[in-house]
């Protein structure tokens, strides 16, 4: 039943974009204020969502910047989404972004300097947000364990070894 509800909500949501003429060749434009209001008031309750998060920074911020500049913007965005939506927002941390591995030629849009030290700062910021907000659970989402084709992974590699995992341990491990 929930699968049918989600598919129905997706159709309804996409139709709301079509109705307002916001479909472009190759995909949707950014949602308008009216569409987001419709999402908050009609679609999310219909589907039964009881919380929300993000999946990847590049869905709402330009990847053409330093990782430190991205993480500096996050607390304000988390506060905005907390204020804008009637359901709890759980913070999200992306490890990086460069999806050139999927293509034959170079494609712009690469997050720069997503080092373990910067990831640790991002995780500390997310933890601070969770610790200072009345959320149903202390949840932070991370993209991702093994998204190698997007250069967004926590797994050990040749460049940083266990650095990303050590950053997670520094922030969330017991002392």
């Amino acid at each position: 039943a929930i699968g049918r509800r989600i598919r129905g909500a997706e159709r309804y949501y996409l139709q709301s974009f079509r109705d307002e003429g916001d479909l472009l060749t190759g995909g949707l434009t950014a949602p308008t204020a009216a569409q987001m209001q419709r999402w908050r008031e009609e679609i999310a309750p219909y589907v039964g969502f009881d919380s929300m998060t993000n999946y990847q920074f590049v869905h709402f911020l330009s990847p053409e910047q330093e990782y430190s500049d991205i993480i500096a913007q996050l607390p304000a965005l988390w506060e905005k989404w907390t204020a804008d939506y009637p359901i709890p927002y759980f913070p999200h941390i992306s490890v990086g972004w460069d999806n050139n591995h999927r293509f034959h030629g170079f494609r712009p849009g690469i997050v720069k300097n997503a080092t373990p030290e910067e990831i640790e700062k991002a995780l500390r910021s997310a933890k601070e947000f969770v610790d200072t907000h009345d959320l149903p659970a202390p949840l932070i989402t991370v993209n991702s364990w093994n998204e190698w084709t997007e250069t967004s992974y926590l797994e050990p590699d040749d460049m940083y070894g266990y650095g990303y995992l050590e950053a997670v341990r520094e922030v969330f491990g017991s002392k």
Side-chain angles (χ1 to χ4, degrees):
I2 191 70
R4 282 194 303 274
R5 282 179 127 183
I6 290 173
R7 284 190 299 279
E10 287 172 349
R11 282 193 298 276
Y12 178 82
Y13 189 54
L14 290 174
Q15 187 60 45
S16 75
F17 279 81
R18 287 185 190 101
D19 291 347
E20 296 178 23
D22 286 334
L23 277 179
L24 295 177
T25 305
L28 299 172
T29 62
T32 66
Q35 290 161 344
M36 292 311 299
Q37 182 175 354
R38 188 175 295 142
W39 171 256
R40 285 191 298 272
E41 294 174 1
E42 299 173 33
I43 297 170
Y46 174 78
V47 174
F49 290 155
D50 60 4
S51 64
M52 61 183 274
T53 190
N54 303 103
Y55 173 68
Q56 176 47 263
F57 294 158
V58 301
H59 296 156
F60 56 90
L61 290 171
S62 168
E64 283 293 338
Q65 53 186 317
E66 294 286 324
Y67 193 84
S68 60
D69 294 336
I70 289 173
I71 61 175
Q73 299 170 64
L74 295 177
L77 289 168
W78 297 336
E79 292 294 347
K80 178 182 180 347
W81 294 324
T82 296
D84 285 354
Y85 292 91
I87 55 179
Y89 173 80
F90 292 100
H92 164 79
I93 297 300
S94 298
V95 180
W97 181 263
D98 176 358
N99 69 348
N100 275 283
H101 311 290
R102 296 177 173 170
F103 305 101
H104 292 291
F106 175 77
R107 296 178 64 109
I110 299 171
V111 172
K112 293 145 191 76
N113 298 314
T115 65
E117 295 78 19
E118 293 299 322
I119 300 301
E120 182 178 334
K121 290 176 190 174
L123 291 168
R124 286 192 188 286
S125 181
K127 184 178 184 311
E128 180 181 339
F129 180 88
V130 167
D131 289 347
T132 59
H133 289 75
D134 185 26
L135 296 169
L139 175 68
I140 297 166
T141 62
V142 178
N143 174 303
S144 132
W145 173 249
N146 63 351
E147 192 66 80
W148 291 90
T149 62
E150 294 177 354
T151 315
S152 189
Y153 55 86
L154 291 169
E155 284 183 311
D157 67 4
D158 292 337
M159 184 177 292
Y160 297 118
Y162 286 83
Y164 293 134
L165 293 175
E166 290 166 356
V168 172
R169 182 177 57 201
E170 281 297 314
V171 176
F172 301 106
S174 59
K175 300 277 181 189

